[in-house]
Structures are given as C-alpha cells and as structure tokens.
Amino acid sequence: MEGGNPFTDRRSVEFRSPDALFNVIPLPPAEAALDDSGYSLHGTGADAITCAVGTPEGVIGVVTRLSPTVVWVMPQGKVEHSEHRTLPVYLSGCGVTLGPIHGAFIRTDMETAGAPVGLQLVSVSLDQGRQILSLLADALKRGVAEPAASALPVQDTIDEAERIRAILMAISTGGNKGVLRRMGRTVRVVLQKLSPDARQLEWHAEDPDVDWGEAPYDIDVIGHNSAHRMKLEAGTTDGHRLITRMPDVLFRIRHRWHRRITAPEGVRVTFHHPLWRELGEMERSVVDLSFSGLCIRCRPEDLLFPGLLPPLLEIHTSDGQAISLRGEIRYVTSVRADGTVLCGLSVAPYSSDEARWVRYISETANPNTCTTDQQLEGLWDVFTLSGFFSLAGKGSEAFDQLKQDFAHMAKRAVEIPQLFCQAVWPSERGPEATLSSMKSYQHTWLIHQVAKRPGKPAVKGLEPGRIMHDLYVRCFEHPQSDADFRWFVAYAEGLNPWISRAHVRYAERYMALNPDLAYSRQVHMMDVYTSEMTGRLHEGISIGPATSAELTLLTTHIARSRPGCYVEALDFSRDRIDMRAVHNQWSGFGLEREREILVARRNGVAVAAAVLEMGQQGINLYSLLDMARLFPLSDAGPSTYVALVDAARRWYAARRRRSFHFLCEDEGGQYVQEAGIHKGPDPYLWIISAKLIPDYLEHISEVSIGRRSAPNTRQG
C-alpha cells in the first residue's frame, strides 16, 4: 500500500568513481541491455522469424522477442541446451538468414512443456547488429512487431457538468493543442473559447487548408498531463472555426507520471553506444525532457533499440552545464519524413549531479516561478500582507526572531533540492506568492507555507488563478524526482475557500473511493511552551526512552487505530518508527531532523507514549516539524499525559526550543488544561498518495485557471 514512483522499479548501477564510469564502455551484452529488451514478434508463416542453433537447419522454433542482445523462442519441440556452452545461432526471416551469431541458453524452463527458450547473444559485431535491427525494422513495417513493453493508459469517465466546464476552461486558457479525428482524417485544433452560459466551444484549426467534414467528431485535447477525449455529435463550421456544444462526458487518459516539457533551444546529449564503441561519440538534440525521461532526435544508423542501457549520457544545457545521467532506451520510432527517428529514454542522474539535474528540470518546467533566494527581498511582506502571520492569532512580531533563520534556509534550500522546494511567483512589484514543500519523512513530502500578496500584478494577459496554479505545479511535481516518494502531507486550514477546494474536498472525495490513497481529518494544533513546567511530581510514573518491545507495542496500537496511509506517510511502521533514514539524510546536509519516543510507565508497565519530533529552524515559520503526539497504550494512558508533556518540555528545551506544537487528535480533555497546553488552529491533517499526483494536478488546473476568480490563500 504505497504511493508508487516509477524510479523505484529502475534497474541500474551507480558507478562510484569517474574512472569506472567512463571506462565501462562498451558494456558486456548482458549488462548493455535488459533481457526483456527489443521487440515482441507475432508474425506467422512467411511473416515469422525463426531461430536455429548449431546449424542453419537446426530450427528450434519461432522467435517471439528479439534484440541484438537476446532472443526468445517458442520451441516446436524438445530443446537440448547447456547454460554454460556458447553455440552458433541463426535467425531467418524475409528470405534471409543471419549468422552464425554466438549465443548461450538462459533461464530455460525444461520442466514446463512448451515454455519459451531464451538465448543471450554475445560478441555481436556491428554488422550483425545492423542486420538484426534491419530485420526488425522490416517486421515493424509489416505490422508484426512492437516494442517489448508498452504501458497502457488508464482511462476514467468524467460526467459532472461543473468539472467538465472547469477542465475545458483550463485547457482553453492554457492554449493546449488537440486533434480532431473523423473518417481517417485528422485536423490539429486549439480550443479558442468556451462559453459556459451557452455551453458552446469554439475550436480553431491550425492547418492552413482545413476540411472539417461532417460530424460526429472525436477530439483529443491535452490537459496538464492527461489527454481528454470527447465525442461531439454536431458542429457548425466557419472557415478555420468550428462551433460545438460542450460534451456531456469526458474520457480522461493518463499518459505520463512525469510531465514532459519541450527542451530549450540548443540542449543536446552526448553518449557512446553501449555495444559498439566504434560508432564513436554521438551528439544528438533533445526534443523534450522530464525528471525521469528524455526524447532525443537520432538517426537510424545509431542502432538504438528498446532495452538498451547507456551507462553515461551527458546533457549539455543552453547555459553551459554538463549533467551526467544513466538511462534505458524505452522506444524508437520508425523513420520520419526528415530521415530521423525519435528515441525515448528513462533516465536518472548520478548522485554527484542529482541536485543540479533536479534544479534544472524544476526551473525549466516552471519558467514562471523561481526559488526563494532569488526573491528574498520583499518575501517577508508577502507573509505579512497575506495574513499568514495572523494565523493562530499571532502577529508578525512573534516571527521576527525567525527572520534570519528563514533567510539562511531560503539560500540553503536551493542547494538541496533532494529535501526542499521553495518556490516564488515574481512580478515587477516583487514576490506575488510563495509555496514550499520538503521531505519530512522517508517516503513523504510536506506541502506548507503558502501565502499570496493581495491584489493583482500588472502582468498583461495573466489569467485568474495562474499564480497559484504555477506554484502548486512546481511544488507538487518536484518530489517526483525523489525515488522514495510515496506520499504528500499538509496541515491545511479548511476555513479558507481555496484550501477547502484544493485540498480538503479532493481528499474527502478519494477517501470515499479508496481510503488507502487519501486521508483528511480535522485536528487540533496546540502550542506548548518549554518554560511553563507544571511543577507536579508525577508520583508513580516513570518516563524514559521506549524499549524495542515498547516500540512494537506502540506501532501495533497506531496500526489498529489509524488508517494505513497515516501509518505509512508519517513513518509509524515498525521498521521506520525511529526515523533513522530521514535523520541521516538531513544530518548529511548539516541539518536537524530528529524523533524521540518517550514512554510513561506505571509499576514498570508501559501505559502511554509521546512521539517527539524536531526539524531545522527557519524551514517553516510555524516550526511545523517541532511536533509532539500522545498515544495511549492502555486505558490508564491519559492519566500520564501531563507527565509526558512535562518530559517533552525538557526534551525540547535541551534542544534550544522555546515552544513546540502538540497535535491533538482526540477531543482533548482535562489533561490539556492541567498540562498548560495553549489553544491553536484546527487544521486538517491531509494525506494523499503519490499515485494521485497526476490526477491532483489536473484537479489544481480545474480549481485555479479553470475557475473565473483567483484564489486568496493562506496556509501554515
């Protein structure tokens, strides 16, 4: 029950030294390509490719998957094999026979009749590679081959009129492209106008000689990261214009985990072929990119194929950076009209370049936003004017002592994109709004600290909602670069209309559909001051760090009393309860992040626990990481809460904290007054799975630029 991130499924090797990285080329075939690489074949009769072993006449069966590194065969009888012996291999199809090529059997299941037989090809020469790929190109042309792996899109149906209107409004505002299809013809279109009152859509054709033809029309248009399909039964044409009614139903097709963006002019990639170094260094232009992928324009003679693993690709950016990546080729198109092919790769940065890669993609994908260090001057005014400092009944003077720490961490955050994303939307009058996210738990990022300056900037053509849309996209997409990313968490002020629409209602909707993916519950975030000890002796109660057995008892209790996404997102599973991995990651950058679990005992028996957390000062102006929670371990647990709060005061005071938050998830009770805990805001604890991020960002488009009024927002 995890959020899900495609990075976690990637098979890759991290080279620990520059010598190892550069000298690894060419790779042995077993390492140069995945053994599920190449193309799946489904030709029969004259369209089939057969495989023979030993001699050209020793046919063992029809090839079902093929690349220059591996062959899979459906045997036509019993196959004699030896996993340790290299044999001549012959491939026959389209009237030609290739071979001998050296190969050895791999993972052959002789216990199952008719099971596929695999052969690993070794020492394949450049000419043999060309011949194999030529054979595959012919199979592709005849429609009897396809890439070995192709993910199918996920489709859902939207039939709520208000949501359809908001989606189409966002698409119209963004000027997104679309394709109209009818009777085998296509027309490139843009949704130019939307008239909600008349329920009409105005489409403009991009083609110079447009032939609209007769309805009905099928139209696909691109949203934030989805394709939306609609069927329009009628339409009125006027030159390059087509007027239709708004559809009653939209079909949404999810097509990417990471949003792809057009590469800036001049961005290029250099690499060597993992199998044939004699091809020399290749330098190719980059078409588009994302945190985890590239599309590059190549040549057929580059001999690239799905499953190939280039160990080193260097991205050369237009500002002179060179960033090292490793990759896997996922698809290669057929030859285009200009004689080139498009090649798609999944990529990941080497650890030495991780920060620069994440920062580069984040900035390139979100050109309207910048980092806080670039707009630090005036940012404090945004918090003041937005009312951010008045949350929980506090004034700006209560935060003045954190101003220096905040400025310091705004600069540090830019250097550590593995942990932080602090974004600002700038204009001529300075920062307009800000939003941040940070990695607070092993699999979880916390969205926080959103504030927007009142009024509208003098930016020509700025549509309502664009500012908040751009900030949310940057901060929610940024964690997708983290291989451990599973969850998003926030403490959201539900009374604010924007927060209610953008956060609370969305989570409540998904809680009803699948409680494993979302959670939203109002809690009480109270303040505790370390100087306000109760002075009680707490007789009969002993308090100390939790033992291993007590940690097991605590995590069992939490698992029984809280939903699974709460346990996973907040590191309350038994293997992560100490937050050691998070502590080590933060401390590796010289930052504080800590969790301590204190247990209250009566007569040596654990009855309650306090989970105390602390984070680096200045990251959040409300110090959201300095948070304590109380959990009963028996019916007598609440009777020890006052003693645990005093123990928590001592723990935080020893770490130079004047106060901390107590997150109360019950109705409070007498212990709140007895422990001297002060009332605070009542936000929603908001959790969503990373699996929902593509859908959530579509939702943000709907409620921001899909609406007619810009949001006014504050959030701790």
Side-chain angles (χ1 to χ4, degrees):
M1 194 195 64
E2 296 180 335
N5 187 334
F7 274 133
T8 60
D9 297 327
R10 179 171 293 122
R11 285 178 275 180
S12 57
V13 177
E14 177 81 29
F15 295 102
R16 299 300 179 185
S17 74
D19 287 342
L21 180 60
F22 286 96
N23 292 335
V24 75
I25 301 169
L27 290 176
E31 297 176 19
L34 303 176
D35 56 13
D36 59 356
S37 67
Y39 296 86
S40 294
L41 302 171
H42 48 85
T44 59
D47 288 328
I49 297 175
T50 60
C51 176
V53 174
T55 67
E57 293 75 28
V59 176
I60 61 173
V62 173
V63 177
T64 58
R65 182 175 294 162
L66 176 62
S67 83
T69 61
V70 68
V71 183
W72 283 92
V73 183
M74 186 59 67
Q76 58 188 19
K78 186 176 181 180
V79 178
E80 297 294 334
H81 77 288
S82 170
E83 294 185 2
H84 306 291
R85 188 162 61 94
T86 301
L87 300 168
V89 177
Y90 298 87
L91 301 170
S92 298
C94 302
V96 299
T97 297
L98 310 183
I101 305 168
H102 298 294
F105 286 106
I106 55 172
R107 298 197 308 214
T108 303
D109 184 3
M110 297 302 293
E111 303 300 322
T112 304
V117 174
L119 294 114
Q120 183 76 58
L121 303 181
V122 296
S123 302
V124 176
S125 70
L126 178 58
D127 285 342
Q128 289 173 331
R130 286 195 181 105
Q131 292 170 344
I132 293 172
L133 291 174
S134 176
L135 197 63
L136 286 168
D138 185 75
L140 284 166
K141 286 181 182 177
R142 290 183 286 113
V144 294
E146 59 186 13
S150 59
L152 295 176
V154 176
Q155 179 174 294
D156 61 291
T157 302
I158 302 168
D159 55 11
E160 303 168 40
E162 180 59 26
R163 287 197 64 201
I164 292 173
R165 187 206 66 81
I167 290 169
L168 294 178
M169 178 69 76
I171 290 172
S172 172
T173 302
N176 296 0
K177 308 295 184 182
V179 175
L180 178 147
R181 295 184 177 88
R182 56 129 194 126
M183 296 297 291
R185 298 190 181 187
T186 61
V187 178
R188 291 178 296 171
V189 296
V190 174
L191 179 56
Q192 196 77 18
K193 292 181 183 178
L194 182 150
S195 173
D197 297 337
R199 287 184 53 81
Q200 283 189 341
L201 306 175
E202 181 177 323
W203 305 88
H204 278 218
E206 291 194 315
D207 301 325
D209 299 315
V210 60
D211 177 10
W212 293 108
E214 299 295 327
Y217 305 110
D218 288 324
I219 298 182
D220 291 353
V221 289
I222 302 299
H224 175 75
N225 53 13
S226 299
H228 299 275
R229 180 168 296 159
M230 66 196 80
K231 192 174 188 66
L232 303 172
E233 298 295 339
T236 303
T237 63
D238 178 14
H240 279 68
R241 293 195 310 158
L242 170 68
I243 309 297
T244 69
R245 287 188 57 78
M246 199 176 300
D248 295 324
V249 177
L250 281 182
F251 300 98
R252 184 165 60 195
I253 304 168
R254 186 80 54 230
H255 63 269
R256 278 198 177 105
W257 168 258
H258 296 142
R259 177 170 58 104
R260 286 287 180 96
I261 53 173
T262 301
E265 188 71 26
V267 177
R268 303 185 71 78
V269 60
T270 57
F271 60 98
H272 285 82
H273 198 291
L275 291 176
W276 303 297
R277 187 170 186 137
E278 56 263 44
L279 289 172
E281 183 179 68
M282 303 179 193
E283 182 176 332
R284 302 292 180 258
S285 62
V286 178
V287 178
D288 61 40
L289 37 74
S290 73
F291 284 118
S292 63
L294 296 175
C295 176
I296 60 178
R297 184 171 282 106
C298 298
R299 304 167 186 165
E301 57 267 28
D302 293 340
L303 303 184
L304 303 178
F305 57 89
L308 196 64
L309 300 171
L312 173 64
L313 304 108
E314 281 198 330
I315 295 291
H316 301 272
T317 68
S318 52
D319 60 359
Q321 294 188 74
I323 304 174
S324 298
L325 311 171
R326 58 183 180 269
E328 174 195 334
I329 303 224
R330 302 292 293 169
Y331 70 85
V332 179
T333 68
S334 56
V335 180
R336 298 158 62 86
D338 61 0
T340 66
V341 295
L342 296 182
C343 178
L345 301 93
S346 61
V347 298
Y350 283 93
S351 55
S352 58
D353 279 357
E354 181 180 7
R356 290 198 301 140
W357 174 247
V358 172
R359 188 161 56 245
Y360 173 71
I361 295 297
S362 190
E363 291 172 353
T364 304
N366 301 278
N368 292 336
T369 64
C370 64
T371 50
T372 49
D373 68 315
Q374 297 171 311
Q375 288 282 319
L376 196 53
E377 188 68 31
L379 191 55
W380 205 257
D381 292 338
V382 173
F383 289 118
T384 302
L385 295 172
S386 69
F388 179 87
F389 289 137
S390 65
L391 291 171
K394 297 183 179 181
S396 61
E397 65 280 356
F399 298 88
D400 287 342
Q401 60 185 349
L402 287 174
K403 193 171 183 178
Q404 186 174 350
D405 288 334
F406 175 78
H408 172 71
M409 285 309 304
K411 296 176 181 178
R412 286 293 320 272
V414 179
E415 303 167 358
I416 317 173
Q418 301 95 319
L419 296 180
F420 306 112
C421 176
Q422 294 186 340
V424 173
W425 207 98
S427 76
E428 290 184 357
R429 63 177 186 171
E432 290 293 335
T434 182
L435 179 65
S436 298
S437 59
M438 63 174 156
K439 188 173 183 177
S440 53
Y441 300 98
Q442 185 171 347
H443 298 304
T444 304
W445 283 65
L446 173 73
I447 194 79
H448 66 110
Q449 210 155 255
V450 56
K452 183 176 180 295
R453 184 191 296 267
K456 297 180 180 180
V459 178
K460 185 177 180 180
L462 179 66
E463 62 269 24
R466 171 58 65 182
I467 294 176
M468 295 310 300
H469 170 272
D470 292 349
L471 288 173
Y472 266 70
V473 168
R474 179 157 189 171
C475 286
F476 274 84
E477 285 185 341
H478 183 94
Q480 292 181 321
S481 63
D482 176 12
D484 289 329
F485 176 44
R486 302 285 186 280
W487 305 96
F488 245 124
V489 166
Y491 297 95
E493 177 53 69
L495 295 177
N496 181 277
W498 162 256
I499 298 299
S500 178
R501 290 195 305 270
H503 290 269
V504 179
R505 293 180 194 171
Y506 181 85
E508 289 176 346
R509 186 172 77 207
Y510 269 95
M511 279 179 69
L513 296 173
N514 188 344
D516 289 341
L517 297 180
Y519 177 73
S520 181
R521 177 186 174 182
Q522 196 164 27
V523 294
H524 311 291
M525 189 177 290
M526 302 179 173
D527 292 330
V528 183
Y529 295 93
T530 56
S531 60
E532 296 180 348
M533 298 289 293
T534 65
R536 298 190 179 192
L537 298 178
H538 308 301
E539 295 181 355
I541 302 172
S542 62
I543 295 177
T547 65
S548 177
E550 289 167 343
L551 289 177
T552 300
L553 179 64
L554 172 61
T555 54
T556 300
H557 165 78
I558 295 174
R560 289 174 177 170
S561 60
R562 303 292 194 278
C565 59
Y566 178 106
V567 174
E568 292 296 321
L570 302 179
D571 279 0
F572 281 126
S573 61
R574 181 62 183 88
D575 60 325
R576 287 184 276 121
I577 186 70
D578 60 1
M579 282 179 51
R580 184 175 303 276
V582 180
H583 166 78
N584 290 342
Q585 189 174 17
W586 281 57
S587 64
F589 293 106
L591 302 175
E592 294 180 310
R593 184 75 175 112
E594 188 177 354
R595 175 184 275 178
E596 178 80 20
I597 298 172
L598 301 179
V599 170
R601 307 176 184 92
R602 287 189 182 276
N603 300 319
V605 177
V607 296
V611 179
L612 314 178
E613 295 179 20
M614 187 189 70
Q616 184 72 26
Q617 290 277 65
I619 284 294
N620 178 273
L621 291 169
Y622 274 88
S623 300
L624 281 182
L625 297 184
D626 295 351
M627 184 87 70
R629 289 176 169 85
L630 297 174
F631 296 97
L633 301 178
S634 74
D635 292 341
S639 67
T640 64
Y641 280 0
V642 176
L644 281 169
V645 172
D646 272 348
R649 286 188 170 102
R650 290 189 289 270
W651 188 85
Y652 283 104
R655 287 154 179 80
R656 307 177 308 282
R657 297 296 192 270
R658 297 180 181 179
S659 65
F660 60 93
H661 299 292
F662 165 53
L663 194 75
C664 180
E665 299 180 62
D666 56 26
E667 297 306 316
Q670 189 64 30
Y671 74 87
V672 172
Q673 290 74 35
E674 292 178 0
I677 299 173
H678 298 266
K679 182 174 175 56
D682 298 327
Y684 282 82
L685 171 58
W686 182 85
I687 302 172
I688 65 169
S689 163
K691 291 179 179 178
L692 295 178
I693 295 305
D695 181 83
Y696 180 70
L697 289 177
E698 293 285 354
H699 167 75
I700 289 298
S701 292
E702 294 173 29
V703 299
S704 56
I705 58 178
R707 296 178 64 89
R708 291 193 172 275
S709 58
N712 174 26
T713 184
R714 298 177 300 167
Q715 178 182 313

